[in-house]
Amino acid sequence: MAQVEATTERIIAADADTVFDALADYKDVRGKVLTGHFSEYEVREGGDGEGTLVHWKLQATSKRVRDCLLEVSEPTDGQLVEKDRNSSMVTTWTVTPAGEGKSKAVVVTVWDGAGGIGGFFERTFAPKGLARIYDGLLQNLATEVEK
């Protein structure tokens, strides 16, 4: 099994603290900025960064739906890590300053891919598809914090 990785980034016209706080707000903001690929969103514990337990279903393709139960941690300033209890998937969000009144948000998702021919297709196509999904989420986040 090879590890599969998808990365997306966006410059947002808001300071890093504002962007990070919005991203870490699973109770009020995160549900609003998810794209149509996400369903059954539910905060089960916490709701603000570290210690949050959140559930959603991610429909990556018409046939592929992933049931996610994510534990959220904040290992360093400006970083959120979502570890899926149902799979090997780990998503790391990093927000850093990017000049006056701007920030850079980077999202990296890694998971253990399948082997064989299925794994080849997963490694080839899944990162691009997931990057598009997270690009939409980051666009929605930018719209939310740039108000």
Side-chain angles (χ1 to χ4, degrees):
M1 282 192 298
Q3 197 165 61
V4 183
E5 180 176 312
T7 303
T8 307
E9 62 182 60
R10 178 177 288 272
I11 300 296
I12 298 175
D15 66 81
D17 287 339
T18 299
V19 173
F20 182 81
D21 289 347
L23 194 59
D25 184 351
Y26 291 85
K27 189 172 33 174
D28 296 320
V29 177
R30 186 62 81 92
K32 288 194 292 188
V33 301
L34 294 176
T35 66
H37 296 90
F38 296 86
S39 64
E40 299 183 29
Y41 181 83
E42 177 188 19
V43 176
R44 296 194 176 165
E45 293 175 18
D48 185 23
E50 180 86 29
T52 295
L53 182 64
V54 64
H55 171 267
W56 59 62
K57 288 191 176 178
L58 172 60
Q59 180 135 14
T61 69
S62 60
K63 295 179 181 177
R64 179 75 168 123
V65 178
R66 185 182 288 254
D67 190 331
C68 302
L69 183 59
L70 304 151
E71 296 177 346
V72 179
S73 63
E74 294 184 36
T76 62
D77 284 348
Q79 192 172 66
L80 281 173
V81 176
E82 300 169 345
K83 291 185 180 177
D84 187 7
R85 287 185 180 175
N86 298 333
S87 72
S88 62
M89 189 171 71
V90 176
T91 300
T92 303
W93 302 84
T94 306
V95 180
T96 55
E100 188 67 32
K102 293 183 181 177
S103 58
K104 180 179 179 180
V106 179
V107 56
V108 178
T109 300
V110 295
W111 68 95
D112 296 332
I117 191 71
F120 168 77
F121 284 106
E122 182 179 24
R123 288 186 305 277
T124 302
F125 297 108
K128 292 178 181 96
L130 194 56
R132 277 192 301 276
I133 291 169
Y134 280 122
D135 187 56
L137 191 157
L138 288 174
Q139 174 60 53
N140 294 346
L141 178 66
T143 300
E144 180 70 21
V145 297
E146 291 173 358
K147 290 179 181 176

